[in-house]
Structure formats: C-alpha cells, structure tokens
Amino acid sequence: MKYYGRICHDLSDITDEKILKTLPGVTIVNDKYKCNQCTNTDQRMFYHYYCYHCNKETIYCRSCIQLGKVQSCKNIYVIESHREETSGYFKLDFKLSPQQELASQKVSEAILSHSPLLLHAVTGAGKTEMIFEDISQARRKGYNVAVVSPRVDVVKEVYLRLKQAFVDEQIDLLYEGQFAKFNSTFIVSTVHQLMRYYQHFDVVIVDEVDAFPLEMDNQLMTTISKATR
Ligand SMILES: [Zn+2]
Ligand SMILES: [Zn+2]
C-alpha cells in the first residue's frame, strides 16, 4: 500500500513515495489558526494544551480529529500523487436502457472536459451501473477515481457493487475505522475520509448529494477541491 496523494502523519508509513510538502499540522495565517489537514479555519474548532515533548503550548484541530490528531508542534507530510492505468475491465449482466446510455454519455463528456455535472436519478434506476463505462474510461486513461457519499451505508453498498463489476481493479474502501489497503487509484469513501487526500483525484463522483446536510455544503466543496487535481 502506498500513500500517493495523501497526507501522511508518520514517515515510517511510506517507502519510496515522494514528499511534496512538509508543514506543521496547524499554522497561523493572518493571526488565525488554519488546519493543514482539513483546511478548517473555524477558530472554535481549535483547542490547545501544554505539550511536554516540546515544552510549549500546542494547538490542535478538532474538526478532523477522526483522521488522526494534527497539531502545531508536529509536522504532516503531503505525498506526491501518482497514476496507474488499468484495462478498466468490468462485468455488467444487463444492457443499459437508452436513457441510461444517454446519462452515461453526459457523464463521459463531463469527465473528458473536466466539468462538474449534476445527475438526478431515482434510487433503483441502475444509477451506479450507469457510470460503470465512465469509470472504466477514466481508469483506462489512468485517472484516479473517487466515488464518495456522505452516508456510510451508501459507501458500503456502492463499494460491493463496484467490486463485483470491476473484478480486476484494486478498489480502496474508506470510512471511519476502515483504511486504504491499495494505492488509492480507485476509492469508495465517505466525504470525511476524502480529506486525507491532496490534489490526487481526476474524477470525483458524489452519490446521494441530497443526503448531505446543507450547512456542510461548503465543507463538501472545499474537501472535493482539495482532493482533486
Ligand atoms: Zn483539521
Ligand atoms: Zn509538541
């Protein structure tokens, strides 16, 4: 397993990956604290305590504490991204309907032109299967793909369907307590876990965007743009 395009807390976790940036977990920008892991600048989310290693006050971010604590007196490392092409092979035992074909075509155009696209489809309309060809195309080009949802149950279900179809792909599944096992070229993840990445993904597909609480929209966009190339 490699840390490509990820934020790493401990250099003993990496082997031959290149370090892009080394920076403190929390820095002060214009007299305000900023978290370099999750980009949070909400000052209420920063706490401090006396660090006996450094013999000084240390500031840490509570916003991304589930991803591992980052603090002002300890460095984090941004690891260089990497792409790997695959055959993009997948199995699908039914044919897409003309409407699904059309939707898939739209997704494909959006991916190739690097533009955002909002696709409305009702549950059970073969929503996931509709994007198989698009994911395949992206993987054949070596694009790093992330399929994300705010909901853990959706993440697990989508992962199973993708794994059954893309039998040759090394798909990473990420949610709280579930970590990447491969090189993060193709991940299925909660939005929260996407914060582990930095300028790594070429394609980000957000499932069940409506399930995302409105007040978290900004965080969603910030997280996606940070994780995207
Ligand atoms: Zn943070
Ligand atoms: Zn310290």
Side-chain angles (χ1 to χ4, degrees):
M1 178 254 186
K2 301 284 185 186
Y3 268 72
Y4 299 134
R6 289 183 56 163
I7 291 165
C8 166
H9 294 182
D10 185 347
L11 285 183
S12 66
D13 288 339
I14 64 168
T15 46
D16 54 356
E17 297 96 311
K18 289 194 182 69
I19 300 167
L20 198 65
K21 281 197 249 184
T22 300
L23 63 179
V26 174
T27 42
I28 298 177
V29 182
N30 299 330
D31 289 334
K32 282 188 169 169
Y33 298 125
K34 183 189 176 217
C35 174
N36 288 317
Q37 175 161 254
C38 71
T39 70
N40 169 52
T41 52
D42 181 349
Q43 301 299 294
R44 292 168 301 180
M45 297 309 280
F46 293 99
Y47 285 65
H48 59 96
Y49 67 93
Y50 194 81
C51 175
Y52 286 96
H53 288 286
C54 320
N55 285 316
K56 61 180 179 196
E57 284 289 310
T58 186
I59 321 296
Y60 70 98
C61 174
R62 285 205 47 91
S63 202
C64 57
I65 197 109
Q66 299 100 313
L67 306 183
K69 187 168 77 181
V70 297
Q71 58 200 80
S72 57
C73 66
K74 239 181 122 191
N75 281 338
I76 56 172
Y77 310 91
V78 178
I79 309 302
E80 202 171 86
S81 181
H82 171 82
R83 283 176 171 142
E84 286 163 22
E85 284 166 29
T86 64
S87 71
Y89 173 75
F90 68 94
K91 302 192 287 199
L92 181 62
D93 30 10
F94 66 92
K95 233 179 114 36
L96 294 186
S97 71
Q99 290 94 327
Q100 287 173 329
E101 287 278 6
L102 186 68
S104 174
Q105 185 67 38
K106 292 275 175 225
V107 175
S108 170
E109 285 162 17
I111 290 174
L112 292 176
S113 62
H114 306 278
S115 1
L117 174 76
L118 189 61
L119 194 68
H120 276 290
V122 290
T123 314
K127 212 168 40 162
T128 312
E129 289 73 14
M130 220 148 67
I131 56 167
F132 282 2
E133 179 51 41
D134 306 299
I135 291 175
S136 169
Q137 183 188 43
R139 294 300 299 123
R140 289 196 302 271
K141 286 179 176 292
Y143 287 176
N144 293 327
V145 175
V147 180
V148 299
S149 172
R151 290 171 47 186
V152 181
D153 56 335
V154 174
V155 165
K156 289 181 185 169
E157 196 216 302
V158 169
Y159 167 76
L160 285 178
R161 279 153 74 188
L162 287 169
K163 202 168 119 75
Q164 277 165 13
F166 289 87
V167 286
D168 298 336
E169 291 280 337
Q170 296 191 316
I171 309 178
D172 277 308
L173 172 64
L174 287 98
Y175 56 86
E176 198 177 345
Q178 174 73 42
F179 306 101
K181 293 193 176 85
F182 305 113
N183 297 348
S184 302
T185 50
F186 184 174
I187 74 162
V188 184
S189 167
T190 55
V191 172
H192 207 79
Q193 295 290 319
L194 197 65
M195 285 180 192
R196 294 186 185 279
Y197 294 89
Y198 181 82
Q199 295 182 1
H200 181 63
F201 295 103
D202 301 276
V203 179
V204 178
I205 296 157
V206 186
D207 200 351
E208 299 282 343
V209 74
D210 296 338
F212 215 78
L214 217 58
E215 67 270 24
M216 286 175 89
D217 272 2
N218 271 337
Q219 198 198 0
L220 173 69
M221 289 322 294
T222 314
T223 303
I224 292 175
S225 52
K226 173 172 155 273
T228 316
R229 276 172 181 258

